[in-house]
């Protein structure tokens, strides 16, 4: 672990970066919203893209929580999280298919549209490799923007991808220059200047080491990536710590501590990490609950001991915003004849 003086140095450098980036971002935001009008903030709510970009550039450690459909996205928002991670693993798993691009990107697009419609907070899509070459990836960006998705995270692997947490599986990496040009294509095609492309570096996952991780991260940042997601499947954060020391706060860094889950978030903050993703825990929690409930009903052939332990039907109606439909029916449907419900 880093000594105290190293942590203070990393944190100070990070604050310097975020202040500088934030000033530049504020100037761009003003130009885009209103061409210089001084009071646009009073009437124009922040777009989801702007919310995500602000989180990435914040001097505070930010968090995204996994969701994999409209219902879980709504729960994440109501819990108080400021943003959502649309996990590729979780989305695949809820269809009971493998996290190896077995679902088409249009199927994923249809699903996250429901997630976006159900929420007001930004969604960062786990977009795997971009579902093909630069042309597939930039078309994806266009479609995501039209559905108010805030950003896409793309990893530098070959298509179809292999989940990073698999043991004993090959993890072939994409050509660095080609992936950088894919990022460039995505940034050039986006219409919203605040739409975020997060470049996920898989060098540690593939066993290529720190030098390659740093080389790729710098290349992707220079190609226009808004942030770098540095991935590691070690049980401790040593690879992340080594990267952050070498990175010297060149831009926002995102991590996914699924395997090194016992590490304190205070330590991540000290390292200068910008964002932490809790990547698959709602899916795993749901699986545990579903298995337990199904087993109990199967064995007892009764609902008596289950009913008080699960969500009520009214809870579901509330998440679905059923009250709005009831009021709309009163407004837009003719009254029923007397005696009919």
């Amino acid at each position: 672990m880093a000594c105290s003086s190293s942590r203070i140095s990393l944190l100070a450098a990070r604050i310097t970066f975020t202040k500088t980036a934030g000033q530049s971002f504020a100037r761009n935001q003003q130009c885009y919203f209103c061409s210089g009008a001084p009071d646009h903030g009073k009437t124009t709510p922040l777009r989801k893209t702007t919310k995500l970009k602000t989180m990435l550039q914040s001097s505070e450690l930010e968090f995204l929580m996994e969701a994999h459909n409209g219902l879980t996205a709504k729960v994440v928002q109501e819990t108080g999280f400021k943003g959502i991670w649309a996990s590729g693993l979780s989305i695949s798993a809820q269809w009971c298919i493998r996290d190896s691009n077995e679902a088409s990107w249009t199927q994923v697009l249809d699903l996250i549209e429901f997630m976006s419609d159900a929420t007001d907070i930004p969604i960062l899509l786990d977009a795997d490799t971009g579902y093909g070459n630069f042309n597939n990836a930039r078309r994806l960006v266009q479609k995501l923007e039209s559905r108010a998705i805030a950003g896409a995270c793309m990893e530098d692997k070959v298509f179809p991808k292999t989940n990073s947490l698999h043991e004993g599986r090959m993890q072939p990496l994409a050509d660095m220059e080609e992936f950088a040009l894919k990022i460039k294509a995505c940034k050039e095609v986006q219409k919203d200047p605040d739409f975020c492309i997060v470049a996920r570096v898989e060098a540690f996952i593939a066993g290529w080491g720190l030098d390659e991780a740093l080389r790729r991260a710098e290349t992707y940042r220079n190609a226009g990536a808004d942030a770098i997601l540095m991935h590691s499947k070690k049980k401790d954060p040593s690879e992340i710590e080594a990267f952050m020391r070498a990175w010297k706060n060149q831009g926002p860094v995102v991590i996914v501590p699924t395997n090194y889950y016992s590490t304190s978030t205070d330590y991540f903050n000290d390292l200068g990490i910008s964002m932490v993703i809790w990547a698959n825990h709602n899916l795993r929690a749901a699986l545990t609950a579903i298995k337990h409930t199904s087993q109990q009903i199967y064995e007892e052939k009764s609902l008596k001991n289950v009913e008080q332990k699960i969500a009520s039907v009214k809870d579901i109606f509330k998440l679905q915003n059923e009250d709005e439909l009831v009021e709309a029916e009163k407004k837009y449907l003719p009254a029923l004849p007397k005696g009919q419900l």
Side-chain angles (χ1 to χ4, degrees):
M1 295 185 111
C3 66
S4 299
S5 60
S6 297
R7 294 187 191 182
I8 292 170
S9 176
L10 284 165
L11 185 58
R14 175 187 176 202
I15 291 172
T16 300
F17 158 73
T18 52
K19 284 183 177 179
T20 304
Q23 291 168 356
S24 174
F25 167 65
R27 289 194 294 271
N28 292 337
Q29 176 181 318
Q30 183 181 24
C31 177
Y32 180 80
F33 274 129
C34 59
S35 300
D39 62 345
H40 68 77
K42 296 179 182 179
T43 57
T44 305
L46 286 179
R47 293 159 298 154
K48 294 178 180 180
T49 51
T50 307
K51 291 178 182 179
L52 179 61
K53 194 162 192 176
T54 301
M55 290 175 71
L56 287 170
Q57 296 181 339
S58 172
S59 60
E60 301 294 326
L61 182 63
E62 301 284 359
F63 301 91
L64 297 184
M65 184 65 185
E66 173 261 320
H68 48 274
N69 54 32
L71 187 72
T72 53
K74 188 71 171 287
V75 170
V76 167
Q77 174 172 296
E78 292 195 350
T79 301
F81 281 98
K82 293 163 62 176
I84 295 166
W85 170 249
S87 162
L89 170 62
S90 298
I91 289 172
S92 298
Q94 55 93 37
W95 283 322
C96 205
I97 59 176
R98 290 161 292 211
D99 186 22
S100 298
N101 297 123
E102 293 186 347
S104 71
W105 69 272
T106 55
Q107 289 174 310
V108 174
L109 199 65
D110 286 343
L111 184 143
I112 61 170
E113 182 174 4
F114 284 102
M115 294 172 63
S116 181
D117 288 347
T119 54
D120 301 315
I121 58 177
I123 297 173
L124 176 62
L125 172 64
D126 179 2
D128 294 339
T129 64
Y131 307 104
N133 70 4
F134 79 93
N135 194 43
N136 303 91
R138 67 179 181 175
R139 181 165 172 79
L140 172 68
V141 168
Q142 293 174 318
K143 297 303 181 181
L144 292 176
E145 284 192 290
S146 71
R147 289 157 175 80
I149 304 301
C153 178
M154 300 183 191
E155 60 192 81
D156 58 349
K157 286 182 180 172
V158 298
F159 178 90
K161 56 83 62 84
T162 301
N163 186 279
S164 301
L165 300 183
H166 276 301
E167 297 293 343
R169 296 279 296 276
M170 292 184 64
Q171 300 283 355
L173 299 187
D175 176 79
M176 184 179 69
E177 182 181 1
E178 181 181 359
F179 189 78
L181 290 171
K182 182 186 293 188
I183 294 169
K184 186 174 188 291
C186 290
K187 294 303 296 179
E188 289 184 353
V189 80
Q190 69 186 60
K191 294 181 179 178
D192 184 340
D194 291 342
F195 183 89
C196 294
I197 296 293
V198 177
R200 175 167 152 178
V201 179
E202 294 281 295
F204 287 138
I205 299 296
W208 287 32
L210 175 61
D211 289 345
E212 184 67 15
L214 184 63
R215 189 168 74 99
R216 285 174 175 259
E218 290 175 340
T219 299
Y220 304 157
R221 179 68 176 166
N222 291 334
D226 297 282
I228 298 298
L229 192 159
M230 186 54 59
H231 209 5
S232 171
K233 61 181 178 182
K234 291 192 71 172
K235 301 297 183 182
D236 62 70
S238 57
E239 290 179 329
I240 301 301
E241 179 180 342
F243 173 77
M244 292 304 296
R245 287 175 177 277
W247 180 240
K248 299 185 186 337
N249 289 278
Q250 298 179 55
V253 174
V254 183
I255 61 170
V256 184
T258 300
N259 275 11
Y260 47 102
Y261 57 84
S262 61
T263 305
S264 167
T265 53
D266 288 338
Y267 182 60
F268 297 147
N269 190 57
D270 290 346
L271 287 178
I273 301 297
S274 300
M275 180 176 285
V276 172
I277 294 175
W278 310 124
N280 46 53
H281 298 78
N282 277 332
L283 172 78
R284 290 160 60 190
L287 179 59
T288 299
I290 291 167
K291 289 173 71 174
H292 176 78
T293 302
S294 295
Q295 187 69 32
Q296 186 172 357
I297 294 173
Y298 174 77
E299 291 175 354
E300 297 179 1
K301 297 180 175 59
S302 171
L303 302 176
K304 181 179 178 180
N305 295 322
V306 169
E307 184 61 31
Q308 300 306 315
K309 300 178 183 178
I310 61 176
S312 69
V313 175
K314 288 184 178 180
D315 291 334
I316 305 300
F317 289 162
K318 182 175 181 294
L319 287 169
Q320 293 172 311
N321 200 18
E322 191 70 24
D323 286 346
E324 188 280 332
L325 179 57
V326 171
E327 292 304 312
E329 287 175 344
K330 293 177 183 178
K331 183 177 181 180
Y332 300 117
L333 290 180
L336 293 172
K338 290 183 179 180
Q340 293 187 25
L341 293 178

